[in-house]
Amino acid sequence: MRWPAAHTLADGSESLPADAARIGYGADYNPEQWPEEVWADDMRLMREAGVNIVSLGIFSWALLQPTPDTWDFGWLDRAIDLLHANGIAVDLATATASPPPWLTELHPEVLPVTRTGETIWPGGRQQWRPTSPVFRRYALALVEQMAERYADHPALSMWHISNELGCHNVYDFSDDAASAFRTWLEARYGSLVELNRAWGTAFWSQNYSAWSQILPPRLAATHPNPTQQLDFARFSSDALKDYLIDEREILRRVTPTVPITTNFMVMGETRGMDYADWAGEIDLVSNDHYLLVADPQAFEELSFSANLTGQIAGRAPWFLMEHSTSAVNWQPVNQAKSPGQLRRDSLTHLAHGADAICFFQWRASLAGAEKFHSAMLPHAGPDSTVFQSVTRFGAELAGLAEVAGSRTKQARIGILFDWDSWWAAELDSHPTELLRYKTEAMAWYTAALANGLQADIVPARSVLSGPGLAGSALNGYDVVIAPMLYLVPIPLADALADYAQGGGHLVVGVFSGIADADDHIHPGGYPGAFRELLGIRAQEFGGLLAGQTVALTGELPAGSTGSLLTHDVTVGPDVEVLARFADGPFPGVPAITTRELPGGGRASFVGTVLDRAALTAFVGRISADAGLSSPLPEDVRGSVQLAVRQSDTEEYLFYINHSARAVTVALRPADGALASLDLGGSTLAADSLTLPATGVAVLRRPRTEARP
Ligand code: GAL
């Protein structure tokens, strides 16, 4: 973040100097939805709430360029000036997120097309094809105008490219997409021979004899070619990245020193954009996160997403661009947040490296599709519970300023996360349609939390990147878990084998190591990519029906079960069997295996989806074997999460009570001298910390590397 230089504000006071530590606090600000008389009130209330940054102009293209040949920046000039005069920095959007009606009337060929050939018409937002050259021409002209006009504005702190790229338009099956897909495929494969090989087109008479025959996977009579589908997912992520780069290039040329971001959506089942791949294209990672009220593991999902965002950012600070103060409007049923939840959710993001906590939006709209979405300033006005919470929390964040700039501490358990596997593993025509990639990854993360341990969600892509140091992203992890890592190119399999042979413990989950980068089976028995390392071999899958379970015996809690999928594993002589199926498709067959490797490392396999208690117990066992012990006492594990950030000299410990009851955490002598930084209703005693329901305490101690 680049904060504005110190200057005199409208009320005669001095703003903070640019280098003063602070946590960003604010929202999307849409002043164009309000008469200008309201703006003065906005400024007063923003200052009261402690707002120091807003995102501006996100959906304002139609007002900024009312016709193809006219521009109206007057209102935006006045809004930026006013914000600056009130000491509020601006994350300025390039305003390209939603094209104006004149553009789509003039050029209907920019409108996206669905898989079944329907046009996505204007009336909502983001109705543009990522690959449309016409859209790009108009959008980039707007970016140029914005960049030139505001380049030297002292409030300009950051550029916000478009908005949630791909939220509604990641998959476009139009003719523009078809032509860009062919270009992408030519670059990837070089020749039709190679494409035909990769796509396995000998199957079902699909051999292509000219590039022009190739299409996006539009509605087909039956299961479309899986590699075509996978490549289309890859291409679609790349097409948006390419668009992002085009906007970025203009901004970099005109304002080389202004940081550039675009808001990711690392949340829930949003999967179209490979953000681990995009992150290198921007200066600062920012993320939008919303809880799904119907999700019984909403807290764990938030924590997972915040952690993954931090890993995507290389454990450097990132920017929470949007979350909600209370209810959203777009779920089937929307619920207000419970008391303390705004604080708890915000501090959970902060604990995972966010250096800014922002919301959608500043003032709740009176009209439009989002009029029932919460905001910092709700319909009820400033004398509302939400505004009071917002104001209280703003003051609290100001007190946490010293945390800004610190990095998240690396956990000792890494859970691999991979968009290719997410896309490929959930394609049709598999042993089961019931397995869900994100659910599997989440299950392992939740099991770590239930053991009082933090795990990192490590993008598999990072294992192969870096200066020729395959596996370096895994340094420092005692245990690396590969949940449902279905698609494993040979270099990734090699890097993971190196990790385990070098002394780490690699745990391979169900339906992993099955296919190569082209989604072709690794032959010779499953899980082909890991068969040798694990010392096992399976010949068949046993899919289980929804609700069907198999009993497990062995070193697991009594009554443990598996579900969704089983493998008929046979094991080599040096493999220890930790659990077996008692019934189901493969009675008596090993369900969990482990093999000690010559270098002191270990490779284990879990061949079914363990129930929660069984998975928790298993993660407890492998962590203990790796010498990991929870810093939390047993009675609070699974209710309290401890996440740690560290600066050069300090450690910041976030104790997050995500349960609905008060808990007391016994502190250990090994925790060292803990001082309170922000208790927010918790009580810190010499040997204990008591947290109210949904309470979060931020403690601090000097950093020493030796501490477990
Ligand atoms: C995001 C979007 C915002 C707003 C918000 C509502 O997807 O960026 O503009 O729509 O959701 O939750």
Side-chain angles (χ1 to χ4, degrees), residues 559-578:
S560 290
T561 59
S563 62
L564 300 183
L565 194 67
T566 59
H567 304 64
D568 70 339
V569 160
T570 50
V571 301
D574 55 350
V575 173
E576 190 187 342
V577 175
L578 301 180

Side-chain angles (χ1 to χ4, degrees), residues 239-260:
L240 281 163
K241 185 178 76 170
D242 185 66
Y243 174 79
L244 166 73
I245 291 170
D246 269 9
E247 281 209 20
R248 183 202 66 195
E249 287 305 288
I250 295 174
L251 301 171
R252 285 230 168 119
R253 172 168 48 77
V254 182
T255 57
T257 59
V258 180
I260 298 171

Side-chain angles (χ1 to χ4, degrees), residues 28 30 58-59 125 160 163-164 167-168 263 265 267 288-290 321-324 327-330 359-361 370 373-374:
D28 284 13
N30 299 306
I58 293 175
F59 293 109
R125 62 178 180 186
H160 180 116
N163 190 63
E164 290 190 342
C167 181
H168 315 289
N263 44 345
M265 293 171 284
M267 58 169 275
D288 296 353
H289 187 273
Y290 293 92
M321 190 64 81
E322 290 180 27
H323 70 152
S324 66
V328 300
N329 65 295
W330 44 263
F359 299 94
F360 178 83
Q361 62 177 327
E370 291 178 333
H373 197 292
S374 60

Side-chain angles (χ1 to χ4, degrees), residues 358-382:
C358 295
F359 299 94
F360 178 83
Q361 62 177 327
W362 161 247
R363 188 186 275 271
S365 302
L366 299 183
E370 291 178 333
K371 59 182 175 295
F372 288 113
H373 197 292
S374 60
M376 293 180 94
L377 182 59
H379 293 151

